[in-house]
Amino acid sequence: MTRVLVWNEGIHEKRNEEVRAVYPDGIHGAINQLLKVDKTIVVRTATLADVEHGLTEAALAQTDVLIWWGHLAHQQVADEAVARVQARVLQGMGLIVLHSGHLSKIFQALMGTTCNLRWREADDREVIWTVAPDHPIVAGVPQPLVLPRHEMYGEYFDIPAPDELVFVSNFTGGEVFRSGCCFRRGKGRVFYFSPGHETYPIYHRADIGRVLINAVHWAHVAVPHAVITTQSPNDPLNWFVGETT
Ligand code: ZN
């Protein structure tokens, strides 16, 4: 089983009727529905308003993969919570950062850069191209995956070079964007996936669900890790044990 915690700041849905119409159960509720298709995934959800944002030590200890959606309230996420999430990623918890989560404290902390990008809300058509056809995240994903209307995210995207680049998008305006990026941080795996602007029904699409399910399995690092024993420099080397002299 893979234990997923879907974290959503949950503010747009409360303030904006247009967003509420698209996501009556919240963005976290829609992502929960997408992941439910896979019976090996167990989903819990949490929002900014929860005690300690739902990101307590105990909650994180029971999480294999954390999915993060935020936009309006990055600065309201407590530094202590960010530190707990970062520590867990370095210990091996997977992290999937979605859309405007590129400016979240946790993503910036793990990247070490501004994570700024260019954007435009103008009903662009986004075409998401697979550029790593043998990567587990693209299994069963249409090539290309087309979003008829979406917010444009464009380069330059100020991130370190991804360890694996999985998707590149292009837009009606001609812009391109690295829309699916894998990173390794400590023992943890991090995937950034840009689709998911709050006024478009992106998280009701089965093809987007396929990407998220694949990403959950990729980011779930099996534990415990192999134990590496280290010989003391004062111990006699035993390389030749068994050889006769
Ligand atoms: Zn957006």
Side-chain angles (χ1 to χ4, degrees), residues 12 69 71 99-100 119 121 150-151 153 194 196-199:
H12 281 291
W69 197 102
H71 180 219
H99 190 60
S100 39
W119 58 275
E121 286 183 55
H150 196 230
E151 179 181 17
Y153 270 14
S194 63
H197 185 70
E198 63 275 4
T199 55

Side-chain angles (χ1 to χ4, degrees), residues 5 7-11 15 46-56 60 66-86 95 97 100-109:
L5 178 59
W7 190 91
N8 172 26
E9 69 178 21
I11 294 176
R15 289 188 189 165
T47 64
L48 181 71
D50 295 344
V51 175
E52 294 187 55
H53 315 315
L55 300 169
T56 60
L60 293 172
L66 174 63
I67 296 181
W68 191 280
W69 197 102
H71 180 219
L72 297 172
H74 295 316
Q75 296 314 311
Q76 292 176 39
V77 177
D79 290 339
E80 295 74 20
V82 176
R84 283 196 296 272
V85 171
Q86 183 172 12
L95 176 67
V97 175
S100 39
H102 69 94
L103 286 182
S104 62
K105 288 181 181 177
I106 182 59
F107 192 58
Q108 289 176 327

Side-chain angles (χ1 to χ4, degrees), residues 128-194:
I128 303 169
W129 298 94
T130 293
V131 295
D134 59 345
H135 199 282
I137 290 180
V138 310
V141 177
Q143 158 77 340
L145 194 166
V146 179
L147 304 176
R149 292 186 310 133
H150 196 230
E151 179 181 17
M152 186 280 289
Y153 270 14
E155 300 285 343
Y156 175 62
F157 184 19
D158 184 22
I159 49 170
D163 293 308
E164 295 153 84
L165 181 61
V166 177
F167 297 118
V168 171
S169 290
N170 73 293
F171 296 84
T172 307
E175 297 85 357
V176 295
F177 187 68
R178 289 169 288 171
S179 48
C181 303
C182 296
F183 304 90
R184 290 160 196 260
R185 292 292 182 271
K187 292 176 181 169
R189 296 181 175 189
V190 179
F191 181 57
Y192 175 75
F193 187 53
S194 63

Side-chain angles (χ1 to χ4, degrees), residues 5-14 16 18-35 43-47 67-72 98-101 150 195-204 208 212:
L5 178 59
V6 178
W7 190 91
N8 172 26
E9 69 178 21
I11 294 176
H12 281 291
E13 301 93 323
K14 287 181 189 158
N16 185 327
E18 186 188 1
V19 177
R20 198 158 51 239
V22 179
Y23 294 114
D25 300 319
I27 287 173
H28 52 296
I31 292 173
N32 180 19
Q33 289 298 323
L34 286 180
L35 297 178
V43 183
R44 290 175 300 122
T45 62
T47 64
I67 296 181
W68 191 280
W69 197 102
H71 180 219
L72 297 172
L98 297 173
H99 190 60
S100 39
H150 196 230
H197 185 70
E198 63 275 4
T199 55
Y200 301 106
I202 305 296
Y203 300 124
H204 292 305
I208 294 293
L212 295 181

